Amino acid sequence: MTSLDRFAVVGRRTDCLVHEGDGTRTITEENMRVKYVPGRVSFPEEVARWRREIEEAEAAKEAAGEPHRWNNPRFAVERLTITRTHTAEEPVAALTLRDADYYDFLTTSLNLDRVKSDGQTLREQYIDGKNPLDAEPFMFCSFGVNVAAETGKDNKLIVSHRSSRVAGPNSSKWNSSANEGLARNHDLSPHGTVSLHAVARRALREELAVYESDNVDLELLGFGLDVRNNQWAAFFRAVLKDLTEDELRARWSRGIEDKWEHDMHAFVPADAESVLRFLRDEPAEKWTPCAPALFYLSLVRAAVRAQDGDPEARFEVEAIERRVVRELEDD
């Protein structure tokens, strides 16, 4: 993998590899197939020792009454396969998951650049210059569902700012409107099934107080890989048809399940020019790796739908992006 594979927008190269999706079409709920294979992911012995270090350190913090990261059951990604339907050639995604937990994720994400006894880092061994799809499942012990949400009545895109209280490398950064990691205790049904669309709805409820009773137009746009932290992400677009910024903020004032995960929300007019200017004007280091890609694909999707499904509407967004970049150059 070279730097040219990574998503670029407003003159910046991000640390996000868009694996599937360009915003012109969606992956329907019936074409999103998730297979769960029971069985815990396993680490090489040296990496397993790193995990024990994390577990012991967090247990000590908890015992001392200090802030600590709590563990919860998650999934490791064994594979993500993209195919097409036979006749219409619509995208089909097959995601295979196995057992992992949050400490498993921290073991790799926090130690990607830690030198092992063989002189290599995990990043050198599995990521740099290689196809990330070939990496071992223990390298992918988290799968994030990211939602770009727009208010339907006043047409504003919600850009959420991660709180400094959130553990991990993406704290204190601009991120998707709502985000949730797949968790076995929340997202694995009694029948052993997982629905990414259901996880997206959970993210909207827990982080934005948008409920099943709200009128939401939800679409799966594709998938990306955060190559900085080696984490898979699903990209969703949600239009909150009957809500405005003022109505959402009034609802939040009465409480949100995971209110502590964000310390700020920007409501940006959802037109391409306004969103791309916001992406441009906020420093690159203030963004999580895949949020710009998600918002860009959401802009393309909105343009395509406004043109009755014409995929060439994506070029309208590209033209606006060039204009926004030129504005900066002219200054």
Side-chain angles (χ1 to χ4, degrees):
M1 182 177 62
T2 69
S3 63
L4 294 178
D5 296 314
R6 290 180 282 146
F7 177 80
V9 67
V10 293
R12 297 173 183 166
R13 186 76 58 184
T14 71
D15 284 326
C16 184
L17 172 65
V18 176
H19 178 58
E20 169 64 19
D22 59 7
T24 62
R25 57 183 181 175
T26 64
I27 302 170
T28 63
E29 195 159 0
E30 58 268 25
N31 284 342
M32 181 63 247
R33 301 161 188 176
V34 183
K35 180 181 180 182
Y36 167 61
V37 180
R40 185 169 177 76
V41 69
S42 60
F43 290 107
E45 178 51 37
E46 183 173 9
V47 181
R49 288 199 300 272
W50 297 352
R51 188 197 180 282
R52 290 193 291 271
E53 291 173 5
I54 290 173
E55 188 168 20
E56 291 166 3
E58 297 305 323
K61 293 176 188 175
E62 182 179 13
E66 299 173 357
H68 63 280
R69 301 180 175 103
W70 60 89
N71 203 6
N72 66 334
R74 293 198 173 196
F75 296 98
V77 177
E78 189 164 283
R79 73 180 63 90
L80 174 61
T81 304
I82 306 296
T83 57
R84 298 290 184 259
T85 57
H86 291 291
T87 304
E89 295 190 2
E90 296 175 346
V92 177
L95 175 65
T96 303
L97 304 171
R98 58 192 307 176
D99 296 329
D101 61 31
Y102 184 56
Y103 288 172
D104 292 337
F105 167 63
L106 293 179
T107 299
T108 53
S109 65
L110 297 182
N111 291 298
L112 284 172
D113 298 307
R114 181 173 175 175
V115 179
K116 300 190 278 91
S117 58
D118 63 4
Q120 280 191 307
T121 66
L122 291 176
R123 189 183 301 279
E124 292 168 340
Q125 185 174 359
Y126 294 105
I127 303 174
D128 290 347
K130 299 179 176 64
N131 185 344
L133 301 179
D134 296 333
E136 297 291 332
F138 75 81
M139 289 292 294
F140 303 113
C141 288
S142 183
F143 188 101
V145 170
N146 296 266
V147 185
E150 304 170 23
T151 54
K153 289 168 69 176
D154 57 357
N155 302 112
K156 293 182 180 179
L157 176 70
I158 305 168
V159 186
S160 298
H161 192 266
R162 303 273 288 176
S163 167
S164 61
R165 298 171 59 193
V166 176
N170 288 332
S171 64
S172 300
K173 296 181 186 296
W174 289 110
N175 195 31
S176 55
S177 313
N179 165 268
E180 283 293 338
L182 263 67
R184 294 202 317 275
N185 55 326
H186 291 297
D187 305 316
L188 183 64
S189 77
H191 306 293
T193 60
V194 177
S195 165
L196 296 191
H197 286 72
V199 180
R201 296 182 188 101
R202 177 168 71 85
L204 290 169
R205 184 190 75 244
E206 293 185 3
E207 298 194 356
L208 298 180
V210 175
Y211 286 80
E212 290 284 346
S213 57
D214 288 307
N215 188 3
V216 177
D217 183 359
L218 183 69
E219 296 180 302
L220 174 57
L221 304 180
F223 299 93
L225 180 64
D226 168 358
V227 296
R228 186 189 308 163
N229 304 302
N230 216 47
Q231 184 178 19
W232 279 106
F235 295 151
F236 281 85
R237 176 176 183 255
V239 179
L240 317 179
K241 290 188 171 183
D242 297 331
L243 290 169
T244 66
E245 174 184 356
D246 289 344
E247 289 166 343
L248 264 182
R249 289 193 183 277
R251 188 179 290 187
W252 295 346
S253 72
R254 303 176 191 119
I256 312 173
E257 287 184 48
D258 289 343
K259 187 173 184 177
W260 59 276
E261 292 195 14
H262 299 115
D263 57 18
M264 180 170 32
H265 297 277
F267 281 76
V268 182
D271 63 279
E273 194 164 347
S274 297
V275 173
L276 290 168
R277 280 182 179 143
F278 189 87
L279 286 168
R280 180 198 67 188
D281 293 344
E282 291 295 321
E285 65 273 13
K286 294 295 186 180
W287 289 96
T288 61
C290 284
L294 166 66
F295 290 134
Y296 187 88
L297 294 187
S298 183
L299 290 175
V300 171
R301 185 61 187 160
V304 168
R305 290 187 62 167
Q307 295 296 328
D308 297 322
D310 182 0
E312 294 203 12
R314 66 179 292 180
F315 300 125
E316 297 177 8
V317 180
E318 289 186 10
I320 293 170
E321 181 195 5
R322 288 193 294 270
R323 186 164 68 245
V324 166
V325 172
R326 282 199 301 270
E327 289 175 355
L328 190 61
E329 294 170 349
D330 292 341
D331 291 343

